[in-house]
Amino acid sequence: MSTDDISLNDNQYLTFVLEDELFALNIGSVREVLELTSITKVPRTPEFIRGVINLRGRAVPVVDLRMKFGMGETRRTVNTCIIIVEVELDGESTVLGALADSVQEVYEMESSQIEPPPRMGTRIKSEFITGMGKSGDRFIVILDINKVFSAEELNLAADAVGISGTVERREGTADAGV
Amino acid sequence: MSQDDMHRMAFKEEAAELLGELEDSLLALEDQPEDQDLINRVFRAMHTIKGSGAMFGFDDIAAFTHEVETVFDKVRNGLFAVTKPLLDLTLAARDHIKSLLEVSDALDADDEVIQTRGRDILCRLRQLSPTAEPEPVREAVEPASELPRGKATYRIRFRPGPDFYTTGNNPLHLLEDLFALGIVRSYPHTEDIPCLEDIDPESCHVWWDIILGAQVDQGQVQDVFVFVEDECAQLSIEMIDSGSAAADGGVYKKLGEILVERGDLTPEDLAQALASQKRLGALLTESGVVPGPTVEAALVEQDAVRDIRKAREPAAETAASIRVAADKLDNLVDLVGELVIVQAQIKQVVSGSADAVLKTLSEHLERLSDDLRDSTLGIRMLPIGTTFNKYRRLVRDLSAELGKQIDLVTSGEETELDKTVIERLGDPLVHLLRNSIDHGVETPEERLAAGKPARGTVRLTAEHSGGAVVIRIADDGRGLEAQAIRAKAVERGLVSPEAELTEKELYNLIFLPGFSTARAITSVSGRGVGMDVVKRGIESLRGAVEIDSVPGQGTEITVRLPLTLAIIDGLQVQTGQEFFVAPLSIVEECVDLPRTDRLDGDRIVNLRGEIVPYIRLRDFFSIDGRPPDVEQVVVSCVEGSRVGIVVDRVIGEHQTVIKSLGRIYRDVEGLSGATIKGDGTMALILDVPGLLRAAVQS
């Protein structure tokens, strides 16, 4: 993508629903949206990383955002989607999938319409949020995808591998969600 | 990138290759200093570097190489023998050329240091050179002139004018001068001598065709005739063979060609004559001197010899090869991977159909894609021996620097590994070898005192073992002191003082970051970086490294690397709803595991009387669900011992295109990647040795 495209897309956001809340990602980091396909579970890894899917011959890990944010496991419905995003992981560009209950639309918001993240009162860690937008009378939580999918958040430290690591992780996410 | 830059790049690549070849030859010369073939190879490599260097504007390289080449020219001509100082210097010169090449990239490089070093090498080389003849001076003045190396061949037609004698010349003196230059074959033409009544005794009637083989340049031949040039009716001197290519001893031009070249025969006449000519064999047979079959047999021999010569030519130069950018190759491998996946999907679809034609086609496709896969992957595989030579040099230089006598013995050079693996293996192996040389092998005095031969040996071996390549570096040095390591580890706070560790565990502590047992910091090793870097480097290749040692007898380091092929043959298995693939290369057999054999706590299966431990995948990966009544055991061979992997069901062979699980799943134990099944979903590839390690740990 050229720099021109990025500036063009700078105020465009893909909105999606987790549970009943509206979230958004900057369109620049979104590659595509897929229907939910079969996910192959990878054993001995944190549960919120649901496994891998075959994206045109590539193994792409899929993260359950709801579990990550402490909203419980994503259930399979006709609307369930996988949003394929590109994030920087330890300086490497990595392709990941994020599960969403449903994907809404591409929504345009000027930066003046976006408010800074509240310091408390949100269900998810405020550091994951770049700002709050509005659609009608609904709030849109704009996520900082690189923070949500940072190496620490994905629990990549070597000691976290294994069953016990998974348990700890889940507790950790639950705390963050409260 | 401009055209010029591209050429310069190409030159650099070529030069780097030639320098590698040069190094190999020089090291080989050390063992066989008499080998004329090797000397020629050294010479040729330098000659090519010089030639193309000058062509692409690397004048400093050309000038420097020229001087070194001059010395080797003398060696080649037997003027003096290959000695160790000469090889040392030539190796140094080779390194200097290499640094010149590198410096040409960086504009701000410290030129002065390099220049000085270059001059120093040349100076010492000249001192080595036994004869202080004036020739080198001349060569230095005009380094670009193409002097004939070895014996050049000249064709001289010397036809004195009729008045030759009247000017006081004697053609015989000139001929004698030529004889002094080298080997001369002359053919006097007497056909112009008139009959006795008509002869003018004061004129010269004879002329000569002379072939001169001598180690001189054309100017020197010309000098012989310098005073008589004007008195000659015809004088021509041509170099017909520069000598550099003459070494192959091939057949020289045919008679007809020579005549045409000399202008004594027109090509048309030659063609006509040839058309009417019968072959010697036919002539002999017709005249009945030799029976037909005998002639044919002789012709066969002639053909055979010619073919052998032809075949030898390219082999003596470089193996026929083309240079391809690595990313093109990667792309090809990717495409083949995709093809294999599609083929697997087709196979799955077709297996459910009753169409016999379709089934045959699918089988054809499978065979073809198998072959395509193997040959495509084969392109990326290189014998590891290509890097062993580099280590030979390292051992030679380092042991000299440390005053040790060490031989490097290598085996398994032909073991093939993926190109990227070989490249990334270089640094870790250098570290390990340096360690063996610096810490492992003792000085000759110490060795003699310990009752060992003064010369130490470092063994570098590579071999295939199951689905992995095992590289071992073993020295016969002093071995590791387990207690010293322990003390050091405790001092550094790496282990607690009361920790109970086996000797092997103690040895493996040296792979921890910040660990170094060397008491003195040498330039070679002992800065405390190294072994942990080695371990990380090897682990990044999904390999493992282990160390074992016998005090007083030596240390052995074992590096185990997966073949990391992009595509392997696998065995697909199922447990619960999950699918896995085990590399077929380590699978020995599959047997049933009846419920009666499963004793609680006992994780062993009786395989024809042999006790084989097993890992139940369902337990290890915490897979939900009830196991079937009869589970199956995939018996695999890991590092020489059998281990069973218990699964619900063995599905069958699977063409496994290895897909990386990526950064996120890099540290998952027991898995080495993912693959795509026939239905498009993914299956995970089992890393059986890793599985075993993790199971043993827990």
Side-chain angles (χ1 to χ4, degrees):
Chain A
M1 194 180 276
S2 73
T3 41
D4 283 358
D5 290 337
I6 289 168
S7 62
L8 196 71
N9 292 329
D10 218 21
N11 51 3
Q12 292 193 325
Y13 296 86
L14 180 78
T15 58
F16 58 95
V17 174
L18 294 180
E19 210 166 38
D20 49 7
E21 270 187 72
L22 209 48
F23 290 85
L25 287 174
N26 191 300
I27 203 104
S29 57
V30 176
R31 273 196 161 192
E32 60 189 306
V33 177
L34 303 177
E35 276 179 42
L36 182 58
T37 59
S38 85
I39 302 175
T40 303
K41 201 169 164 288
V42 180
R44 296 165 80 95
T45 51
E47 258 185 64
F48 73 92
I49 309 179
R50 291 282 289 267
V52 285
I53 57 162
N54 167 16
L55 178 64
R56 289 185 295 278
R58 280 180 73 176
V60 173
V62 176
V63 174
D64 190 333
L65 280 182
R66 282 182 53 153
M67 281 172 88
K68 174 88 190 134
F69 297 149
M71 301 171 176
E73 195 174 324
T74 307
R75 281 173 304 275
R76 178 184 282 265
T77 68
V78 279
N79 290 325
T80 314
C81 287
I82 301 173
I83 305 170
I84 303 293
V85 293
E86 209 171 321
V87 297
E88 289 276 313
L89 210 58
D90 290 348
E92 261 175 71
S93 174
T94 307
V95 176
L96 287 174
L99 277 181
D101 283 334
S102 67
V103 166
Q104 300 287 304
E105 58 179 335
V106 175
Y107 193 72
E108 219 161 292
M109 283 183 281
E110 293 302 326
S111 50
S112 58
Q113 292 173 266
I114 298 170
E115 285 174 34
R119 295 173 75 178
M120 51 186 291
T122 49
R123 286 183 71 167
I124 62 173
K125 279 192 199 168
S126 56
E127 60 177 89
F128 293 162
I129 305 173
T130 40
M132 303 290 283
K134 249 185 187 176
S135 160
D137 50 1
R138 286 184 79 184
F139 280 110
I140 303 172
V141 181
I142 302 168
L143 293 173
D144 184 340
I145 197 71
N146 283 321
K147 290 263 172 60
V148 176
F149 291 146
S150 68
E152 305 85 69
E153 287 303 327
L154 290 172
N155 205 1
L156 296 183
D159 61 335
V161 180
I163 314 290
S164 60
T166 315
V167 174
E168 278 165 28
R169 190 65 235 158
R170 285 173 74 195
E171 283 164 6
T173 21
D175 287 344
V178 173
Chain B
M1 196 186 277
S2 76
Q3 193 79 4
D4 203 34
D5 282 347
M6 265 165 65
H7 286 146
R8 285 171 72 98
M9 283 285 290
F11 165 71
K12 275 189 195 162
E13 268 176 43
E14 189 198 354
E17 223 165 74
L18 284 168
L19 286 173
E21 209 175 280
L22 184 62
E23 187 171 33
D24 291 353
S25 312
L26 285 171
L27 291 173
L29 259 185
E30 200 156 44
D31 297 332
Q32 301 145 282
E34 305 282 290
D35 194 327
Q36 196 63 32
D37 233 28
L38 287 170
I39 296 174
N40 281 334
R41 235 159 58 199
V42 168
F43 181 77
R44 258 203 311 270
M46 283 194 287
H47 190 71
T48 315
I49 293 171
K50 180 185 88 171
S52 15
M55 203 188 298
F56 296 114
F58 293 88
D59 293 334
D60 46 350
I61 292 177
F64 178 81
T65 316
H66 173 78
E67 299 259 348
V68 187
E69 184 197 341
T70 312
V71 175
F72 253 82
D73 188 30
K74 290 191 190 123
V75 175
R76 205 167 69 135
N77 293 318
L79 286 177
F80 66 98
V82 175
T83 56
K84 186 151 163 38
L86 173 72
L87 288 177
D88 280 336
L89 270 176
T90 318
L91 280 170
R94 175 228 168 245
D95 293 346
H96 181 66
I97 297 170
K98 192 156 177 249
S99 51
L100 284 177
L101 262 182
E102 282 156 7
V103 165
S104 63
D105 279 337
L107 295 170
D108 56 341
D110 197 349
D111 258 8
E112 204 39 55
V113 177
I114 291 172
Q115 295 289 346
T116 319
R117 195 172 50 192
R119 276 197 295 273
D120 180 49
I121 292 171
L122 286 184
C123 182
R124 279 156 61 198
L125 264 178
R126 284 204 201 96
Q127 281 165 8
L128 265 187
S129 196
T131 42
E133 47 202 310
E135 213 178 331
V137 181
R138 239 185 83 176
E139 284 177 357
V141 174
E142 27 176 2
S145 78
E146 229 1 282
L147 290 174
R149 316 270 143 224
K151 279 202 173 121
T153 313
Y154 298 92
R155 177 194 293 152
I156 304 162
R157 177 163 288 185
F158 171 40
R159 192 169 196 162
D163 303 327
F164 199 75
Y165 296 128
T166 57
T167 51
N169 287 305
N170 185 344
L172 289 180
H173 291 156
L174 296 167
L175 291 178
E176 271 164 19
D177 285 350
L178 282 182
F179 273 92
L181 287 177
I183 302 162
V184 175
R185 294 258 182 287
S186 71
Y187 181 79
H189 289 269
T190 52
E191 56 266 45
D192 288 351
I193 301 177
C195 49
L196 197 56
E197 290 100 352
D198 303 331
I199 204 163
D200 175 4
E202 286 181 11
S203 322
C204 179
H205 302 287
V206 191
W207 55 285
W208 288 267
D209 267 327
I210 303 156
I211 299 297
L212 166 71
Q215 209 176 313
V216 289
D217 63 349
Q218 191 150 355
Q220 281 165 282
V221 183
Q222 214 108 44
D223 285 350
V224 173
F225 297 98
V226 71
F227 295 114
V228 297
E229 259 169 31
D230 295 332
E231 272 76 44
C232 289
Q234 191 186 3
L235 175 67
S236 66
I237 301 166
E238 291 170 62
M239 192 200 286
I240 51 174
D241 197 336
S242 68
S244 54
D248 52 20
V251 181
Y252 188 59
K253 289 171 192 129
K254 294 201 180 106
L255 175 66
E257 288 169 13
I258 299 171
L259 286 172
V260 171
E261 235 186 85
R262 289 179 174 194
D264 294 335
L265 184 69
T266 65
E268 290 79 11
D269 289 343
L270 174 65
Q272 213 179 348
L274 283 177
S276 61
Q277 180 196 353
K278 277 187 181 152
R279 304 204 67 153
L280 177 64
L283 286 173
L284 289 174
T285 324
E286 265 172 38
S287 60
V289 180
V290 187
T294 317
V295 173
E296 268 169 45
L299 282 173
V300 168
E301 180 186 325
Q302 189 186 23
D303 275 353
V305 171
R306 198 180 297 149
D307 288 351
I308 290 165
R309 277 199 184 154
K310 232 184 241 167
R312 202 164 42 199
E313 272 165 33
E317 291 302 313
T318 45
S321 61
I322 53 166
R323 206 186 294 271
V324 180
D327 52 351
K328 281 189 187 168
L329 217 56
D330 291 343
N331 196 17
L332 179 66
V333 173
D334 280 352
L335 284 173
V336 170
E338 298 298 309
L339 182 75
V340 167
I341 292 166
V342 172
Q343 181 264 321
Q345 287 170 352
I346 288 176
K347 189 181 163 194
Q348 181 152 338
V349 171
V350 168
S351 68
S353 118
D355 192 330
V357 179
L358 213 54
K359 277 191 170 154
T360 322
L361 283 176
S362 162
E363 272 165 29
H364 271 299
L365 181 64
E366 182 174 2
R367 215 169 31 244
L368 276 176
S369 59
D370 276 11
D371 288 352
L372 182 62
R373 175 200 72 173
D374 289 346
S375 35
T376 309
L377 291 174
I379 299 174
R380 288 181 56 88
M381 301 297 274
L382 290 177
I384 194 166
T386 49
T387 59
F388 280 8
N389 290 320
K390 188 171 93 187
Y391 305 135
R392 205 174 285 284
R393 173 81 192 277
L394 176 90
V395 172
R396 178 187 183 280
D397 289 359
L398 263 187
S399 49
E401 191 181 315
L402 296 167
K404 295 180 181 179
Q405 297 173 2
I406 300 173
D407 289 324
L408 179 70
V409 179
T410 58
S411 72
E413 282 93 340
E414 70 290 343
T415 310
E416 286 194 330
L417 261 175
D418 196 276
K419 181 175 167 292
T420 27
V421 177
I422 288 187
E423 279 164 6
R424 288 169 59 189
L425 193 61
D427 286 347
L429 281 190
V430 166
H431 265 298
L432 290 174
L433 276 174
R434 278 170 173 265
N435 263 299
S436 284
I437 296 163
D438 194 20
H439 304 315
V441 181
E442 314 91 326
T443 58
E445 301 81 56
E446 284 176 285
R447 290 183 65 85
L448 287 172
K452 296 194 223 178
R455 286 194 83 79
T457 309
V458 174
R459 255 168 239 285
L460 179 60
T461 57
E463 59 174 359
H464 278 286
S465 161
V469 168
V470 175
I471 297 167
R472 287 198 180 83
I473 296 159
D475 62 61
D476 60 352
R478 60 172 76 93
L480 294 171
E481 292 169 52
Q483 288 320 308
I485 294 172
R486 187 194 180 93
K488 187 69 155 262
V490 171
E491 180 197 318
R492 300 260 158 121
L494 298 169
V495 291
S496 69
E498 54 274 4
E500 276 183 36
L501 295 168
T502 64
E503 286 207 333
K504 199 159 179 174
E505 282 170 328
L506 280 172
Y507 295 145
N508 284 291
L509 286 178
I510 66 167
F511 289 114
L512 290 175
F515 194 96
S516 173
T517 53
R519 290 187 186 89
I521 289 178
T522 65
S523 69
V524 183
S525 55
R527 290 198 190 85
V529 291
M531 291 307 249
D532 61 315
V533 177
V534 168
K535 193 174 165 80
R536 236 179 302 137
I538 288 166
E539 282 178 348
S540 76
L541 293 168
R542 299 202 309 221
V545 58
E546 247 180 41
I547 192 161
D548 210 347
S549 178
V550 179
Q553 288 182 28
T555 308
E556 181 177 270
I557 295 161
T558 308
V559 176
R560 202 174 295 278
L561 291 165
L563 281 173
T564 44
L565 293 182
I567 307 173
I568 56 166
D569 278 317
L571 184 73
Q572 200 181 350
V573 297
Q574 185 182 11
T575 295
Q577 292 310 304
E578 316 287 332
F579 293 87
F580 300 93
V581 173
L584 201 59
S585 53
I586 60 161
V587 173
E588 291 198 332
E589 58 183 312
C590 301
V591 293
D592 286 351
L593 180 72
R595 195 176 276 278
T596 50
D597 274 15
R598 294 193 299 241
L599 298 166
D600 278 340
D602 248 3
R603 292 206 187 128
I604 46 174
V605 61
N606 184 342
L607 183 72
R608 294 183 298 272
E610 192 190 339
I611 300 297
V612 176
Y614 65 74
I615 301 164
R616 179 173 279 120
L617 223 49
R618 184 179 291 277
D619 298 341
F620 187 79
F621 285 152
S622 333
I623 295 166
D624 301 332
R626 246 179 63 89
D629 282 349
V630 178
E631 289 172 288
Q632 282 178 305
V633 190
V634 177
V635 180
S636 324
C637 183
V638 180
E639 289 158 32
S641 59
R642 289 206 173 83
V643 60
I645 295 162
V646 176
V647 298
D648 286 4
R649 189 160 75 94
V650 172
I651 294 171
E653 252 186 80
H654 179 73
Q655 285 275 300
T656 309
V657 182
I658 299 180
K659 300 285 177 185
S660 160
L661 278 173
R663 173 78 180 78
I664 290 177
Y665 291 124
R666 202 175 56 187
D667 300 321
V668 179
E669 281 171 321
L671 295 175
S672 61
T675 186
I676 295 161
K677 290 193 295 164
D679 63 359
T681 60
M682 305 216 82
L684 301 170
I685 301 168
L686 296 174
D687 166 22
V688 180
L691 204 68
L692 189 65
R693 270 198 301 275
V696 167
Q697 267 167 27
S698 58

